Structure formats: structure tokens, C-alpha cells
Amino acid sequence: MTTAIPTAKAATVTDPPPAAPARRRSAGHRRSTPLTIAMLAVLAYFLLPLFWLLVASTKSTQDLFNSFGLWFSHAPQLLTNVKKTFTQDDGVFVHWLLNTVMYAGVSALGAALLAAAGGYGFAKFRFRGDRFGFNLVLGAVMVPATALAIPTYLLFAKAGLVNTPWAIILPSLVNPFGLYLMRVYAEDAIPDSLLEAARIDGAGEARIFFRIALRLLAPGLVTVLLFTLVATWNNYFLPLIMLNDPNLYPVTVGLSSWAAQAQNGGAGASSDMLALVVTGSLISILPLVVAFLLLQRYWQSGLAAGGVKQ
């Protein structure tokens, strides 16, 4: 006798794909409207002054006061303003620009090398008072440069260095923040095993620093160089009290003297003097823009290196 075994009908059920990961992906790529508005506001805050400077450089002094500030006038004269800027007072603006390049370039290179040497020493050598000395460096970061301007002037007056280029270059070589940055960067950028191998091979400390350490410190070195370059280029108060000769002025002090002439109608002032001040300000920032564009990748890697443990 055969018994029939009932067979259950197989049911095929298609499960829907999980929706949670899709929601997570969509949430990860979702844009935040308040954050976008805040970023646009910050972008406008930084770019609007530059745009105003570009627009104002195309105007005469009358158009600066009679036309809308954020748009061009009916008769733009950028080339005329640039030509007058370079020829005003027998081309003294060219001297100011060259002085600024010299002050900022020498100060940036010197400050970067000194910061690299000091940071490398604090990071890789142990000596009596090293922690106390580094704490002094951290304390010096908090001291504003303007607070040291008058004592620096008195010191340089005793040494007979007032009204010389050294009165601008030597104070700019001291960069406590750059030394701190290089010390933090050197701790991870230079392996101790590499230094020991170089010492075993007979290399001296100076050769190790210039042939090995400086190459590894290049991103941080460029970062300090850019910071010092901008600080010295935009420095106003120190050259103002240190220099008396107009031929030694940097761009900041020189343009300030032109602005004073335009307001007071002093000797050498013309009807377009204020327009020349604005045009000179535009010309003076172009070298900094070029420097940042050329050294941007080194600068960004130097800033990010301190936050990544190698």
C-alpha cells in the first residue's frame, strides 16, 4: 500500500532590499542649507574687499566718491592709474616695491632657516633647560609685535641701526610661532633611526641638518616662509618708527605718506593722489597672490602635517 506524501507548495518571497544604508548614503551627501549660507557669507567677507579694490583701481578720485563703490564707472582708467602710480614723484613707488621685496624676502628666508634650526634642535636634542626654553618660546607667541616696537627702536638707536634696512630685517628674523611650528613638525617628520644611521656613517650634526633634515622639513619650512613673508610685507608700524628716508620706505609706509598728502594737500599732492593710493594697494598685493599660488601645495601639506601622526 502506497501512501501519498503531501507536498507543500513552495512559496517564493522576494525580500525588499534594506533601505537603511541607502538612507545613510543620501544623508551623507545631503547639503546643509545653513552651512552653505554661512560659507557664502565668509567667502563674501574675504572677497568683497578685494573686488572693491579692483573696481576702485579703475576710477579717478572723483569717481571714487561719485559712483557706486562695487561697480565700475563709465570711464575706467586702470592703465592710466597704473602708469601714474609708477611715475609719481620720479618713480618712488618702484623703490618702495623693491624695498618691500628685499625686506620680506630676506626676512622670510632667514626666519624660516632659524625656525627650522631651532625647531629641529628642540625636537631631536635633549639638553639642560630645553623644556624651559621651549616654554619661553610659547610665551613669546602671545606677545604682540607692536608691544616690542618701541623697545626695539631704543635698542637699535643705541646700536646705530635706525634708518637702515637692518632695522626692518633683524626684528623680522625672530618668529616664535614659526619655531613652535617647526618643532612640532620635526618631531614626526624626521625619524630618529635615520639620524642615528647618519651618525654611524660618520656624518656631523651640521651635515645631517643641511643634507637630511632640511629636505624632510621642506613643507614646514615653506609654511613658515609664507607666514613671515606676509607678516613682513604687511608690516607698517615697525618701518614707520624705524625709517625716516622715503627711499627706504616699504609699500605700506609709502602709500600711507601718499594718503596723508592727499588728505592734507601737501607738497607733491595731485588731484588723483587718492586714486594712486588705491591702485598702488592693488599692485602691492599681487606678489603675495603669486607667492601663495606657487607655494600652495607645500603650504597646505605643511599645515596638515602637524595633525597626522606618521
Side-chain angles (χ1 to χ4, degrees):
M1 182 171 109
T2 60
T3 305
I5 302 175
T7 59
K9 187 177 181 180
T12 59
V13 180
T14 304
D15 295 331
R23 290 197 197 98
R24 290 195 205 100
R25 285 196 297 269
S26 62
H29 293 283
R30 187 174 57 191
R31 295 181 179 179
S32 173
T33 302
L35 182 60
T36 303
I37 295 175
M39 292 301 295
L40 290 176
V42 173
L43 185 65
Y45 175 80
F46 284 105
L47 292 185
L48 272 180
L50 296 178
F51 180 73
W52 178 90
L53 187 62
L54 176 62
V55 170
S57 299
T58 65
K59 299 180 180 181
S60 62
T61 300
Q62 293 181 350
D63 290 338
L64 285 174
F65 295 99
N66 298 330
S67 62
F68 180 59
L70 293 178
W71 198 243
F72 302 92
S73 62
H74 298 290
Q77 54 176 32
L78 177 61
L79 296 180
T80 302
N81 288 342
V82 171
K83 182 179 179 181
K84 289 182 178 180
T85 301
F86 282 106
T87 57
Q88 180 71 23
D89 295 338
D90 298 327
V92 70
F93 181 79
V94 178
H95 291 285
W96 295 341
L97 199 59
L98 293 177
N99 291 338
T100 306
V101 171
M102 182 190 67
Y103 298 153
V106 175
S107 299
L109 288 174
L113 288 176
L114 289 177
Y120 170 75
F122 276 116
K124 296 302 176 181
F125 293 93
R126 293 295 173 263
F127 51 90
R128 181 177 300 178
D130 57 344
R131 186 169 300 180
F132 176 75
F134 188 68
N135 290 334
L136 287 180
V137 173
L138 293 179
V141 174
M142 306 301 174
V143 179
T146 53
L148 301 176
I150 300 301
T152 304
Y153 172 80
L154 297 176
L155 181 64
F156 277 58
K158 290 289 185 180
L161 296 176
V162 174
N163 204 31
T164 65
W166 295 111
I168 309 301
I169 294 175
L170 291 180
S172 302
L173 296 178
V174 181
N175 190 346
F177 176 74
L179 195 154
Y180 164 76
L181 183 65
M182 293 305 298
R183 193 254 188 183
V184 174
Y185 185 79
E187 284 184 347
D188 293 330
I190 304 176
D192 294 334
S193 58
L194 181 61
L195 300 181
E196 291 299 328
R199 294 187 182 108
I200 292 174
D201 289 340
E205 296 298 334
R207 185 178 180 182
I208 292 174
F209 174 72
F210 287 105
R211 297 293 297 274
I212 299 176
L214 274 184
R215 295 183 181 182
L216 298 175
L217 294 175
L221 197 69
V222 173
T223 304
V224 177
L225 186 144
L226 279 175
F227 283 161
T228 310
L229 182 71
V230 174
T232 309
W233 192 282
N234 295 328
N235 199 354
Y236 171 75
F237 189 62
L238 182 66
L240 179 66
I241 66 174
M242 288 290 189
L243 303 176
N244 299 321
D245 187 0
N247 291 323
L248 294 176
Y249 283 170
V251 170
T252 52
V253 180
L255 291 178
S256 177
S257 66
W258 275 4
Q261 291 180 19
Q263 293 176 0
N264 301 327
S270 63
S271 59
D272 288 334
M273 184 67 77
L274 189 59
L276 301 186
V277 173
V278 176
T279 307
S281 300
L282 177 65
I283 296 173
S284 67
I285 68 173
L286 294 180
L288 290 181
V289 174
V290 172
F292 267 86
L293 292 178
L294 293 178
L295 302 174
Q296 182 181 15
R297 61 191 185 97
Y298 299 104
W299 178 53
Q300 289 178 345
S301 61
L303 284 179
V308 179
K309 190 73 173 178
Q310 301 192 9

